[in-house]
Amino acid sequence: MIGRRDFIRNTATAAGALLLSRTASLAADAPDSRIEILLDEPLGTISPNIYGHFTEHLGGVIYDGIWVGRDSKVPNIDGIRKDLVDHMRKIKAPVVRYPGGCFADSYDWRDGVGPADKRPRRANFWGDKSETNQFGTNEFVHFSKLIGSQPYLAANVRSLPAAEFYRWVEYCNAPAKATTLSEMRAAAGYADPFHVRYWGVGNESWGCGGNFTAQEYAVEFRRFATWVPRFGEDLAFIASGPSDFSWDWTRGFLEEIARKGPGQISSIYGLALHYYTWNLSRGRTKDWDAGKGDALKFDAVDWYELLREGQVMDSIIHGHWQVMGEFDHDHHIKLVIDEWGPWYRPGSEQTPGDILEQTPTLRDAVFSAMTLDIFHQHPEKIAMANCAQLINCLNSLYLAHEDKFCITPVGHVFDMYSAHQGAQSLRTIFSTPDIHYDRDGKAASFWGLKGSASLRDKDLVLTVVNPNVSEPREAEIGIRGATIQSAAATVLGNRDIHAHNCFAQKDAVHPEAKQLSLEGRNPTYIFAPASVTKLALRLA
Ligand code: AHR
């Protein structure tokens, strides 16, 4: 077993000198916290697809972020940024959503195929720059294949007829030479079908995707998702679902779908759910420019309040799942949380002019780890999740501009957590005192330690967030009925809660790995303040 002293010594080294001095005083006391991993209570397999991504023709996401062009001096593979491809392979990116977002419901897929020099220039939904269409379906699917991931395409329900959706499916999936559209694909160099399985039927159809009522959208969904050409693919249709606590959307949509007969439910693979966090407490509003919290300028109270807002994801999942069960008793339809993450006001862009770009800090890494840990608790409910958005945008894993590229603290979390993909999620109980703080004269609190555990053969992965901005937390780790053969820790933390990576300082926040030596019967571990920790434990 892992000896307590060794854990303390090793953790202190991994987390830095500051922690070493703090842990020295704690080592004498019994830990006030306990993590119990219940090996015999599996919750289900963690779908690799909950580690999915989202990319939209918006700001610097596609152009400059993913696409640099074939003639670029920036290292690229067929026009796609090479650094990005390399890192996304490393994190085992399973699925990427495209082309939006709100952009999807104004996009004509035909504009983005055919010879590049013949593609039209169009006004972009976001209005910041014109859309050159140099990156379209072929380039996106090629990008997906390069990184070893599956494409997830969102259809235009607001401004194109259903026939255009069928044609897009045909363009992607019809066998070589079978149709005019598959020949068009072949002419671009892609004779083999793209085998696109995941299709979003619109996006935010209650808002930018058509301003429909739930009932109106259900009628559209039926029309779009019925008798779609399949070409032997097991197509998975994802309906545009609710945002936040909009139970009425979930109920109204499913009620209308089910009204046509029980068989209708089985035509839906997933219900999309969007949940952004805006750091809204303390009198803030969702105002585009000034209302929300700031990505870089925040205090400890903002830190806890953002996490508190993010923790709500758990009840949102529970709530919609319960409503879905009213119409879908067997829970055939799963949740697809295809947009999530913090969304701050403008001002922290690394590339001025990139709309919706923000600089993720250690706070966003802790937030993202917490969110992924929440997803692990619901393997039977969540089929897919897509962090918004991959690069040069909201909760991005990467920032890039011309030849500059860096991995954000969020990117590091995806790397650390990739070990959970496809593993068996285990019920894990965290018993720890809450953190108490003063929210502008009002007493407030937040949990002291949380995380998740998963098992694959003899490999147990425990990921833990310590949200405390200044105090380490020592916890005893109980794994009943198993002995630990070897253990390694990876810690992402920093003394400064605002720490972030940028082009000038790419490595300010980076994970530190440490092999842990083993002895004794009661392993304990000291989790560094404001940190994300992965313990990789090999069971005997
Ligand atoms: O991610 C940015 C935007 O947020 C998406 O386009 C839209 O779906 C959501 O409102």
Side-chain angles (χ1 to χ4, degrees):
M1 299 290 268
I2 302 174
R4 185 159 166 231
R5 266 181 215 291
D6 278 340
F7 255 103
I8 293 167
R9 193 175 56 240
N10 284 309
T11 315
T13 317
L18 180 72
L19 179 59
L20 186 62
S21 61
R22 285 207 177 109
T23 57
S25 60
L26 269 177
D29 310 324
D32 58 5
S33 302
R34 185 169 167 83
I35 303 170
E36 190 73 38
I37 304 172
L38 304 167
L39 289 178
D40 52 357
E41 288 200 37
L43 300 175
T45 303
I46 297 171
S47 165
N49 283 355
I50 69 160
Y51 285 85
H53 306 283
F54 170 36
T55 58
E56 178 165 11
H57 283 258
L58 183 174
V61 178
I62 301 294
Y63 302 109
D64 202 21
I66 300 173
W67 182 253
V68 294
R70 290 190 174 82
D71 302 329
S72 173
K73 291 199 182 87
V74 179
N76 68 84
I77 306 172
D78 305 323
I80 295 160
R81 187 180 286 278
K82 186 173 179 310
D83 281 341
L84 179 65
V85 170
D86 291 345
H87 200 262
M88 289 192 77
R89 272 189 191 145
K90 182 164 180 260
I91 64 169
K92 304 196 194 92
V95 61
V96 185
R97 178 174 182 241
Y98 171 85
C102 292
F103 177 86
D105 278 287
S106 60
Y107 181 58
D108 185 341
W109 66 273
R110 289 181 193 261
D111 289 347
V113 295
D117 58 349
K118 299 274 185 318
R119 297 185 193 173
R121 280 187 301 125
R122 303 274 188 217
N124 180 297
F125 169 89
W126 293 97
D128 56 328
K129 40 191 156 187
S130 60
E131 175 54 57
T132 63
N133 284 303
Q134 294 306 288
F135 189 90
T137 305
N138 302 335
E139 292 76 18
F140 172 70
V141 174
H142 190 54
F143 166 58
S144 306
K145 308 266 157 165
L146 282 176
I147 60 176
S149 127
Q150 293 206 61
Y152 163 19
L153 296 176
N156 179 344
V157 172
R158 173 168 55 80
S159 55
L160 283 182
E164 277 308 311
F165 172 44
Y166 308 152
R167 300 279 176 268
W168 198 11
V169 174
E170 180 179 323
Y171 178 84
C172 291
N173 292 348
K177 299 189 182 153
T179 72
T180 305
L181 287 174
S182 72
E183 278 175 356
M184 188 177 168
R185 188 189 67 223
Y190 302 94
D192 291 338
F194 288 154
H195 301 293
V196 179
R197 176 170 188 231
Y198 300 112
W199 292 91
V201 181
N203 166 76
E204 297 194 350
S205 302
W206 37 264
C208 63
N211 220 1
F212 296 113
T213 64
Q215 292 74 16
E216 287 166 347
Y217 171 68
V219 175
E220 292 299 314
F221 178 87
R222 269 203 300 262
R223 212 150 57 80
F224 269 69
T226 314
W227 285 289
V228 181
R230 302 224 162 216
F231 305 106
E233 298 293 335
D234 178 21
L235 299 183
F237 298 118
I238 295 157
S240 173
S243 174
D244 310 5
F245 307 93
S246 305
W247 321 122
D248 285 355
W249 179 271
T250 301
R251 184 170 285 116
F253 169 70
L254 290 175
E255 198 168 37
E256 176 57 35
I257 290 286
R259 204 170 57 81
K260 187 81 176 35
Q264 300 292 315
I265 290 283
S266 61
S267 66
I268 308 172
Y269 169 83
L271 183 69
L273 164 65
H274 290 182
Y275 182 54
Y276 286 103
T277 36
W278 324 82
N279 215 183
L280 271 192
S281 69
R282 312 178 89 187
R284 298 204 184 98
T285 65
K286 285 189 197 171
D287 279 358
W288 193 257
D289 282 331
K292 314 180 203 65
D294 196 281
L296 297 175
K297 294 180 212 118
F298 56 87
D299 59 16
V301 175
D302 288 333
W303 164 288
Y304 292 128
E305 289 294 292
L306 181 87
L307 295 178
R308 221 159 55 87
E309 208 178 325
Q311 174 63 42
V312 167
M313 175 69 92
D314 193 53
S315 13
I316 291 179
I317 293 168
H318 277 291
H320 287 292
W321 190 250
Q322 200 176 332
V323 177
M324 288 156 77
E326 292 172 20
F327 307 94
D328 177 19
H329 307 302
D330 301 333
H331 280 300
H332 165 84
I333 306 171
K334 307 294 181 206
L335 282 167
V336 171
I337 305 171
D338 58 16
E339 292 186 30
W340 67 266
W343 186 331
Y344 305 109
R345 60 177 171 237
S348 73
E349 304 82 357
Q350 292 298 320
T351 304
D354 277 0
I355 59 163
L356 264 61
E357 180 178 305
Q358 58 194 34
T359 300
T361 64
L362 179 61
R363 176 172 63 156
D364 303 298
V366 165
F367 179 101
S368 302
M370 173 187 82
T371 303
L372 293 168
D373 285 326
I374 292 173
F375 292 163
H376 296 164
Q377 316 299 315
H378 304 285
E380 80 291 9
K381 304 184 187 75
I382 309 174
M384 190 195 293
N386 309 72
C387 182
Q389 301 193 12
L390 178 69
I391 184 165
N392 292 345
C393 197
L394 302 173
N395 197 39
S396 295
L397 283 77
Y398 312 102
L399 296 171
H401 180 49
E402 298 170 346
D403 60 349
K404 299 188 277 287
F405 178 82
C406 75
I407 303 167
T408 72
V410 175
H412 288 308
V413 167
F414 272 79
D415 194 2
M416 287 165 68
Y417 273 50
S418 64
H420 282 299
Q421 289 188 22
Q424 188 61 233
S425 180
L426 299 173
R427 199 154 86 83
T428 307
I429 300 165
F430 288 78
S431 315
T432 184
D434 280 349
I435 300 162
H436 295 278
Y437 59 99
D438 181 320
R439 187 177 59 222
D440 307 328
K442 284 198 185 129
S445 63
F446 191 66
W447 46 258
L449 210 63
K450 265 196 180 156
S452 66
S454 71
L455 184 68
R456 191 196 322 263
D457 303 324
K458 299 272 179 206
D459 291 312
L460 180 62
V461 174
L462 172 66
T463 45
V464 179
V465 163
N466 177 5
N468 196 313
V469 293
S470 53
E471 296 297 324
R473 174 81 63 186
E474 184 179 16
E476 202 171 14
I477 301 170
I479 315 168
R480 245 178 285 161
T483 318
I484 299 166
Q485 201 172 68
S486 62
T490 310
V491 182
L492 188 74
N494 198 287
R495 289 169 209 198
D496 180 4
I497 58 173
H498 309 92
H500 56 272
N501 297 336
C502 56
F503 303 136
Q505 232 187 330
K506 293 181 176 188
D507 238 8
V509 187
H510 63 273
E512 287 186 26
K514 190 81 193 167
Q515 207 61 37
L516 303 171
S517 56
L518 310 171
E519 65 175 39
R521 291 181 56 82
N522 293 313
T524 72
Y525 189 91
I526 296 184
F527 295 93
S531 70
V532 179
T533 299
K534 175 174 79 172
L535 295 180
L537 309 170
R538 176 85 185 158
L539 303 182

